[in-house]
Amino acid sequence: MQRISLRSFLITLLVILVIMAVLLLYLYYILSRPLGATAVQTKQMKHLFSIYGYGTKPDEMLNRPTDVAFDEEGNLYIADAGHARILVFRSSGQFLRKVGQKGFGKGELMEPTGVTTSKDGRIYVADKALSKVVIYDERGRFVSEFKVMVPFKPHVEGGKLYLTTYGHVMVYDLKGRLLTKWGERGREQGEFDCPTGIAVGKSGKVYVSDTLNLRLQAFSRNGELLWVKGKPAEDIKAADRKFGLPCGLALDEKDLLYLIDAFDNSIKVLDTKGKILATLGKKGVKEGEFNQPSSIAYDQNGVFAIADKFNDRVQVVKITVE
């Protein structure tokens, strides 16, 4: 009888300890959640989750994430510019690995501004500070690199690597051999000033966020200018600005364009003729709000990742635009 009572006591004690452990974990979760964790939800944009890093130490947290990309399996790649590395997460937000390290040597990074992947799993990283594009394999091992003057955003489509630079759009094969390029630095239509976003449609049309010219430009597969929306402004407060600061760009399977407007702290949804259909988001620290976001990437089923740069996080959201 005494043994049964002792056993019951131990079981009860174990249950109490488990409950206390769960409560402590929950308390830790609540206390360690970043400020503004309460999500702002709208009919057109639902916040799913945010990534602030892969741990709680300063060097494990995101620091000015600049770009995002998805691979064929839905894994999420983040250009963590402040820490000079690429971080890889599963579509659920589970951390997988780090790619690259800070330095000036081959395969090393100083300021990764853009990242993309190919169907075979290779990772392409544009490093603005070192004026190069680095290629890693699917496990993050260095393969090769090539020099490009001030690269911003790489994008793989149709077996080609498209790259925006300070004044050009450049097209390479997947080994980094230049095939063609167009544009030059300037303010005239068809020219560029530090374009930081690019999307390529299945038909071959190329859409470019001409960032410092405050406009969106569309080209044929051969670089012929099709249309322009927006124009350079003499004043940052100019009333006729169509965009505040157009940055990252993504295209979904419905041929809708999703443009990050950093100074407006919003996502502009446009058709492929440049007509704005919706404006989503606003400035703030809550989930679903932004602080000068810089990039957007599309996965599938309306799911997007946004590099919320000055909130030091990446937000994963579901967008529905009728």
Side-chain angles (χ1 to χ4, degrees):
M1 187 71 178
Q2 187 175 0
R3 288 184 179 179
I4 295 175
S5 299
L6 180 59
R7 183 182 300 171
S8 299
F9 171 76
L10 292 174
I11 292 174
T12 302
L13 180 61
L14 180 60
V15 170
I16 292 172
L17 290 174
V18 169
I19 293 173
M20 288 179 64
V22 171
L23 289 174
L24 286 172
L25 286 172
Y26 179 73
L27 181 62
Y28 171 79
Y29 168 72
I30 293 297
L31 292 177
S32 64
R33 291 177 77 188
L35 293 175
T38 301
V40 174
Q41 308 282 20
T42 68
K43 182 178 179 181
Q44 292 179 304
M45 186 171 71
K46 302 291 185 183
H47 177 269
L48 301 178
F49 62 89
S50 290
I51 295 173
Y52 288 83
Y54 59 92
T56 57
K57 297 178 182 178
D59 64 345
E60 296 173 339
M61 304 291 285
L62 295 179
N63 184 5
R64 300 296 186 259
T66 303
D67 194 25
V68 284
F70 286 102
D71 67 13
E72 292 291 305
E73 297 179 355
N75 296 318
L76 175 59
Y77 296 72
I78 301 173
D80 188 18
H83 287 304
R85 64 192 178 189
I86 304 299
L87 298 180
V88 189
F89 296 82
R90 295 192 188 279
S91 58
S92 60
Q94 178 187 358
F95 176 65
L96 286 177
R97 67 182 67 91
K98 291 184 287 185
V99 176
Q101 62 181 12
K102 192 170 185 177
F104 295 92
K106 284 191 175 182
E108 295 180 330
L109 305 169
M110 287 301 293
E111 189 181 358
T113 54
V115 61
T116 192
T117 65
S118 59
K119 288 187 176 181
D120 64 0
R122 288 197 171 191
I123 307 161
Y124 298 80
V125 181
D127 191 303
K128 183 178 73 171
L130 298 180
S131 283
K132 68 180 182 180
V133 173
V134 186
I135 305 174
Y136 304 94
D137 69 13
E138 69 279 3
R139 300 299 300 174
R141 295 169 296 201
F142 172 68
V143 175
S144 63
E145 63 182 40
F146 57 93
K147 300 295 289 186
V148 185
M149 184 64 72
V150 193
F152 286 105
K153 173 61 182 176
H155 177 77
V156 172
E157 188 67 45
K160 297 178 181 179
L161 173 66
Y162 294 79
L163 179 70
T164 64
T165 73
Y166 71 102
H168 312 281
V169 170
M170 309 184 79
V171 186
Y172 298 83
D173 67 17
L174 296 185
K175 292 184 178 180
R177 293 179 293 222
L178 183 64
L179 302 175
T180 187
K181 69 176 183 178
W182 68 81
E184 60 183 50
R185 192 169 193 182
R187 295 163 61 91
E188 298 299 319
Q189 292 189 357
E191 297 177 338
F192 305 105
D193 192 356
C194 297
T196 59
I198 187 168
V200 183
K202 299 299 181 185
S203 64
K205 290 182 180 178
V206 182
Y207 306 91
V208 181
S209 301
D210 189 9
T211 303
L212 295 187
N213 281 326
L214 311 179
R215 63 191 176 193
L216 180 63
Q217 301 196 73
F219 300 85
S220 72
R221 66 172 73 244
N222 299 317
E224 300 168 343
L225 183 64
L226 300 176
W227 52 256
V228 179
K229 300 297 179 181
K231 62 181 181 179
E234 298 300 329
D235 191 314
I236 193 172
K237 296 181 180 180
D240 62 347
R241 289 164 67 108
K242 188 176 184 68
F243 305 111
L245 190 71
C247 295
L249 194 61
L251 188 68
D252 71 7
E253 69 277 351
K254 299 177 183 177
D255 274 346
L256 292 179
L257 288 162
Y258 297 78
L259 172 67
I260 291 293
D261 191 334
F263 284 177
D264 192 46
N265 295 289
S266 67
I267 304 166
K268 301 285 197 308
V269 185
L270 308 94
D271 63 22
T272 50
K273 294 182 179 180
K275 179 182 177 182
I276 296 177
L277 306 176
T279 299
L280 312 174
K282 63 178 182 178
K283 183 177 177 63
V285 299
K286 294 181 179 179
E287 312 288 14
E289 297 177 337
F290 306 110
N291 188 3
Q292 293 190 34
S294 57
S295 180
I296 185 168
Y298 181 60
D299 184 17
Q300 59 181 347
N301 300 321
V303 175
F304 293 81
I306 299 105
D308 190 7
K309 186 174 182 179
F310 285 91
N311 277 327
D312 291 320
R313 66 188 176 193
V314 168
Q315 298 194 56
V316 178
V317 303
K318 186 176 179 66
I319 296 176
T320 305
V321 177
E322 301 296 336

